[in-house]
Amino acid sequence: MNTPLSPAEELALIDGELARLDARRAHLAARRDWLLRLPPIPWPSAPPPPSLQVKDASGRGAQNVLLTLGAVLLSVAALAFTLVSWGSLGIAGRAAVLAVVTVGALVAPLPLLRRGLRSTAESVAALGLLLTVLDAYAVHAVGMSTVDGTAYAAGAAGVLAALWAGYGFASPGLRLPLPVAVAAAQLPLPLAALASAADPVGLGWALLATAALDVVAAMTVPRARAAWPAGAALGVAALGVGLVESAATPGASAPALLLAAGAALGVAVAWRVPRASAAALAGGLAAVVAVAGPLSPRWDTGWAVPTHLAPALALTLPAAVGAASVPAAVRRGLARAGLGVTAAAALWALASVVPSLAARLRVLGEVWATTTPEVDRPATGAAVAVTLLVTAGAAAAAARLLPARPEPGVLAVVLGWAGLFAAPVLLGFPVAAVLAAQLSVTVAAGALALRPRPGGSGVGIAAAGCALLGAGSVAVGALDGRLATVLVLGALTAAGAAGAAYRPGPGWARSGAAVLAVGWATALTVALCALSDLAVVWWAPPVLAVGAAVVAFGPRWGAVRVPAEAASTAPGVLALALAAPDRPALALALALAGVVCATAAVRADRRRLGWAAWALFVAATWVRLSASGVAWPEAYTLPVTVPALVVGFMRRRRDPAASSWTAYAPGLVATLLPTLIAAWGDPHWQRPLLLGLASLALTLLGARQRLQAPLLLGGATLAAVALHELAPYVVQVVGALPRWLPPALAGLLLLAVGATYERRLRDARRLRAAFGRLG
């Protein structure tokens, strides 16, 4: 345990340390002085650190460049010798030179490998392989020139591939020979097929056989990895040939056999290699076409698509049931192939439906025409309907197998609705039957949207979208006939009201149904008015009746009354737009709209609609006055002022602390300002006199009740009226004054204002000084 030092001991310790530091400082200072007195010595510059020296190229990079350049130069020399100088030698000389050079180039890499010169050996081996190609060319040019070039190339490629493969196995230290042998092995069979003038299917067989050999080589020879991409490319090319030929010649068996072989190869590869699910995908697609191709009719009939759809759905069975005996890569690839074909069929069917349904938009060009337009029925209608329904059934089955995924259910709803909705049109049903069937499908989709789903709402949203789209399409199609329009719009209105009243349904679905019910009811009312002899401007009251009905029955709808009442503004706006061309009709429409808003404002939660009712009533009064030719501004302003003052008086009674400006100023300004403007331009004396008396009374009332707004507004108006009355006399007086008096008066006014401003600044400085002395 350390004991603390006494002050005397600690002071002695500090003095000793300072003495030692002084001594060390004196020694270093003396040494520095001695070094400074020495003569200057030239010191050699030190080389930069190794880390800062920049190397233009690494040793291995320079080596590879030199070796590659040497191999290229030798190859150029060999080409020049073979192509140019060949004819200067005899047959024996030619053979001897090429044989010696080729053998030397192929043997030289072996000792180079033993000495560890791998890069040099690879360069020389590449030269030797090139020389073998030149040997093959020389043989054809001299001894076999009569042989077909393509056939000779096929044989030469096969021989060279075998020789290069043997050379690669004999010299395992070289990496180049085996990949080059794999590349050469891709040529013999396709070139042989071209040389024999084989048809496209024959060429496909050659490509597929080569791909199969590549697969075998890649699986059995560890060093032949380059065979994988080569086999994949040739396999895809072979399947492409089979697909094109199968599509071009429906019912042919030759392309089907080629595709079946390709499917077997793809599945076999995926079965052996866990990561090769793409091979199973390609094999699955080939299998679909191989099975459906011989049975497929012509594509223009449309039935070729359902024919290919059946085997595509069958491919998804191993993945759907989760067969343990089938490898996962095979299951994934086959399932993706089946789903891809199914998706393509569904897209084709949907694309075929759109033009048929869009054709009914032509009805909008001539509503309620006397002639019935022809229904566009495509030649592939039945096939399209079958395709949609089959894909919808497959999606529904997938939804049952995968209950946690919403996508299959959504697809089932969309495809099923599209098939059932379009089937009557595609099959050429009569117009009445088409509308009845489509209306039923639309109602069914709406009912599906209203079905409670605790697991999610994806299916419900899809069904609601289908119902909305179907309702719009049916409504447009029904415009071709008067009776059809009334019946369809009535059915849609009833369906929307029923959906809004269905309390077990989701809130969003019920709200949407309520909004649609209001919209369809408005459309039905307009259609009924169009059937009558009423002028268009007098359609407004019946249309407003829709909004009145919503206000009257809205409380019975419960939670959906808010969106329903919000939607009821649409028929109100439409009614005002219909009545706008005629001012008496517009006044009546505004008054009726005010009655509807006033009725709604009776409820405690709709008090604010009272302001809308008041505004509508005022607007109705103004329009009516304008229609009667009334030009007095007071006739327009007093209907605003009186209710506003009454409301302000009631507010002051409930809240005595409310300002008179808030309570009375809006109503007073609404009349005083327009009347004052009119009085200044009125040459008669009645309006100024009445306005002056009213302003005087208002001023006295404000003074008696101690209310600022009436006092100041009345006084200001009275002063303005008085100024108006005295203006002619003021003009006369000003004309009689000397010319210098107005500038003098203006100067005095400016001096007075300046003095007042200076006094205010002085007071502000005093206040700031006093505030600074605080605290």
Side-chain angles (χ1 to χ4, degrees):
M1 180 176 179
N2 296 329
T3 58
L5 299 175
S6 64
E9 292 174 341
E10 186 176 0
L11 183 61
L13 181 61
I14 292 174
D15 291 340
E17 290 293 335
L18 290 176
R20 281 191 293 273
L21 290 175
D22 292 339
R24 181 61 177 168
R25 177 181 178 80
H27 172 72
L28 293 176
R31 181 67 178 173
R32 181 177 182 278
D33 292 338
W34 180 79
L35 291 173
L36 291 176
R37 289 192 298 271
L38 292 177
I41 300 175
W43 297 95
S45 59
S51 60
L52 299 180
Q53 294 180 354
V54 179
K55 296 183 179 180
D56 292 337
S58 64
R60 182 175 296 275
Q63 163 195 304
N64 293 335
V65 170
L66 294 175
L67 293 176
T68 302
L69 182 61
V72 169
L73 293 177
L74 290 175
S75 301
V76 171
L79 287 172
F81 171 77
T82 304
L83 299 177
V84 179
S85 302
W86 182 263
S88 62
L89 298 175
I91 297 177
R94 301 170 188 172
V97 170
L98 277 178
V100 170
V101 174
T102 303
V103 171
L106 293 177
V107 173
L110 301 179
L112 293 175
L113 288 175
R114 287 193 296 270
R115 293 177 178 271
L117 303 175
R118 179 180 297 275
S119 300
T120 305
E122 293 286 355
S123 300
V124 176
L127 176 62
L129 297 179
L130 176 62
L131 289 174
T132 59
V133 177
L134 297 178
D135 290 340
Y137 168 76
V139 171
H140 180 266
V142 175
M144 303 182 68
S145 58
T146 58
V147 179
D148 179 69
T150 305
Y152 179 80
V159 173
L160 290 177
L163 291 177
W164 291 347
Y167 181 63
F169 285 117
S171 53
L174 295 176
R175 294 188 294 266
L176 184 62
L178 280 182
V180 175
V182 170
Q186 312 306 310
L187 301 177
L189 293 180
L191 290 177
L194 294 176
S196 61
D199 59 357
V201 176
L203 178 61
W205 277 110
L207 295 173
L208 186 62
T210 306
L213 294 176
D214 290 334
V215 170
V216 172
M219 287 184 176
T220 56
V221 181
R223 296 170 57 195
R225 298 298 180 187
W228 281 120
L234 292 184
V236 170
L239 295 182
V241 171
L243 292 174
V244 171
E245 290 299 311
S246 179
T249 56
S253 59
L257 294 176
L258 174 63
L259 291 171
L265 178 62
V267 173
V269 171
W271 203 288
R272 294 287 303 273
V273 182
R275 295 182 179 180
S277 61
L281 170 61
L285 295 175
V288 169
V289 183
V291 173
L295 306 176
S296 175
R298 297 193 318 271
W299 285 94
D300 56 356
T301 63
W303 287 104
V305 175
T307 304
H308 288 76
L309 183 60
L313 293 176
L315 278 183
T316 60
L317 184 61
V321 301
S325 59
V326 181
V330 177
R331 292 201 305 270
R332 287 196 303 270
L334 295 180
R336 290 171 181 171
L339 292 176
V341 174
T342 304
L347 290 176
W348 169 80
L350 290 174
S352 301
V353 165
V354 171
S356 299
L357 296 180
R360 64 177 28 165
L361 294 176
R362 292 178 302 187
V363 177
L364 298 176
E366 189 177 359
V367 178
W368 293 350
T370 56
T371 59
T372 303
E374 295 182 0
V375 178
D376 291 343
R377 177 190 176 188
T380 59
V384 170
V386 170
T387 301
L388 287 173
L389 295 178
V390 170
T391 52
R400 288 185 175 273
L401 293 174
L402 303 171
R405 300 296 298 272
E407 294 87 354
V410 172
L411 290 175
V413 171
V414 173
L415 294 174
W417 171 83
L420 295 175
F421 192 85
V425 177
L426 298 175
L427 298 178
F429 286 8
V431 176
V434 169
L435 292 178
Q438 291 182 341
L439 186 60
S440 301
V441 174
T442 300
V443 173
L448 183 62
L450 289 168
R451 182 179 178 183
R453 286 177 183 81
S457 60
V459 173
I461 293 175
C466 292
L468 179 60
L469 185 61
S473 179
V474 172
V476 171
L479 293 177
D480 183 53
R482 292 172 171 80
L483 180 59
T485 301
V486 174
L487 292 178
V488 169
L489 292 178
L492 292 175
T493 302
Y502 184 66
R503 297 187 181 277
W508 62 268
R510 293 181 58 205
S511 299
V515 172
L516 291 176
V518 175
W520 295 127
T522 305
L524 177 61
T525 303
V526 172
L528 293 175
C529 290
L531 289 174
S532 65
D533 295 331
L534 287 175
V536 175
V537 294
W538 295 109
W539 293 3
V543 172
L544 278 173
V546 177
V550 173
V551 171
F553 296 100
R556 299 184 181 181
W557 288 7
V560 300
R561 65 184 177 87
V562 175
E565 291 178 353
S568 66
T569 58
V573 174
L574 177 60
L576 297 181
L578 291 172
D582 186 74
R583 284 183 290 180
L586 179 60
L588 177 60
L590 289 170
L592 293 177
V595 171
V596 174
C597 291
T599 304
V602 172
R603 300 200 302 267
D605 57 343
R606 294 291 183 267
R607 298 298 188 194
R608 294 183 178 180
L609 289 178
W611 293 101
W614 174 71
L616 289 170
F617 284 137
V618 171
T621 304
W622 287 354
V623 173
R624 182 67 258 182
L625 291 172
S626 176
S628 301
V630 176
W632 302 338
E634 293 79 10
Y636 295 89
T637 57
L638 287 177
V640 177
T641 297
V642 173
L645 293 178
V646 172
V647 172
F649 178 74
M650 296 176 62
R651 180 175 181 182
R652 290 269 302 175
R653 291 193 62 181
R654 291 195 306 269
D655 184 13
S659 172
S660 63
W661 290 99
T662 305
Y664 301 122
L668 294 175
V669 171
T671 293
L672 292 177
L673 183 59
T675 304
L676 180 60
I677 295 174
W680 271 80
D682 192 350
H684 303 287
W685 58 271
Q686 292 88 351
R687 179 178 279 112
L689 177 60
L690 294 176
L691 180 60
L693 294 176
S695 302
L696 178 60
L698 187 62
T699 304
L700 295 175
L701 178 63
R704 179 179 177 82
Q705 299 294 330
R706 297 182 181 180
L707 299 176
Q708 289 184 2
L711 177 62
L712 295 180
L713 291 176
T717 305
L718 182 60
V721 173
L723 180 61
H724 171 265
E725 295 301 318
L726 295 176
Y729 304 101
V730 172
V731 171
Q732 294 178 4
V733 172
V734 171
L737 292 176
R739 298 294 182 105
W740 56 266
L741 185 58
L745 294 176
L748 291 174
L749 177 63
L750 292 176
L751 289 176
V753 172
T756 304
Y757 183 68
E758 182 181 8
R759 186 171 65 254
R760 294 292 184 269
L761 289 177
R762 185 182 61 218
D763 294 341
R765 285 194 294 269
R766 290 177 179 175
L767 179 62
R768 183 175 61 184
F771 181 77
R773 289 192 296 269
L774 295 176

